[in-house]
Amino acid sequence: MYDCAGQTIRPKMAEIKAVVARHNAVTVADLESECRKRSFAWPRQIAAYLCREMTPCSYPEIGRAFGDRDHTSILFAYRKIARLRADSAELEATLEAYRADIRSVAEARIAAEDAVRIVPAYIPDKEFVRLTSQIRRLRAREMAGAVS
């Protein structure tokens, strides 16, 4: 993924977890929980796979982000999804839908960050404070898994 300046757009793990959680009707807390129910484990494995694929994070870093899991759990999830993906066009289509949503969330975050860097020179201080607080609220919702 590249922005208009040709720089790589890297989604954050929180964005990936939020998108996968929303698609699977679970919360980000469910993805990070220790519960092994299939309704939580499958989206968790998909999110771990996408985190490894779309971010520069290592297996231990991803494990810490998913409820302090061991790196081998993330490695298992990555290999499992990669193996199943090779055999299932349906899973590949699902993963591509996740990737598209993740890209759009990351692009929106980057656009908002760019607006904050550019805006101070063009708007009054009072308006800048209002916009900055809106961006903070958006980031807080993203971190809570309520990205819309």
Side-chain angles (χ1 to χ4, degrees):
M1 293 184 296
Y2 297 97
D3 65 3
C4 59
Q7 296 178 338
T8 303
I9 296 174
R10 295 249 184 223
K12 295 182 178 184
M13 280 196 281
E15 294 167 340
I16 295 171
K17 290 191 291 186
V19 167
V20 173
R22 187 179 67 230
H23 276 265
N24 288 281
V26 298
T27 65
V28 172
D30 292 335
L31 295 181
E32 296 170 352
S33 74
E34 293 192 19
C35 185
R36 295 181 180 191
K37 288 172 56 176
R38 183 168 175 80
S39 60
F40 301 146
W42 178 248
R44 182 184 303 129
Q45 289 174 337
I46 289 174
Y49 173 84
L50 291 170
C51 283
R52 181 64 180 151
E53 182 182 76
M54 299 178 82
T55 69
C57 299
S58 66
Y59 291 115
E61 289 171 322
I62 297 169
R64 285 190 292 275
F66 281 88
D68 207 23
R69 285 186 157 61
D70 191 68
H71 75 280
T72 56
S73 298
I74 305 305
L75 180 62
F76 173 81
Y78 181 83
R79 288 178 177 169
K80 177 181 177 180
I81 299 300
R83 183 182 70 245
L84 293 173
R85 181 185 139 197
D87 297 333
S88 172
E90 181 182 339
L91 178 58
E92 181 59 39
T94 302
L95 290 172
E96 193 51 46
Y98 289 145
R99 285 186 202 104
D101 279 355
I102 292 165
R103 277 187 219 108
S104 67
V105 169
E107 288 168 357
R109 172 185 45 88
I110 289 169
E113 289 171 354
D114 288 344
V116 169
R117 282 193 287 272
I118 294 169
V119 167
Y122 301 108
I123 62 171
D125 289 339
K126 195 173 191 180
E127 185 67 13
F128 175 71
V129 169
R130 187 183 68 76
L131 290 172
T132 305
S133 64
Q134 286 178 341
I135 291 169
R136 282 194 196 114
R137 283 193 298 275
L138 175 63
R139 286 183 183 158
R141 284 196 353 244
E142 287 175 354
M143 295 304 289
V147 178
S148 52

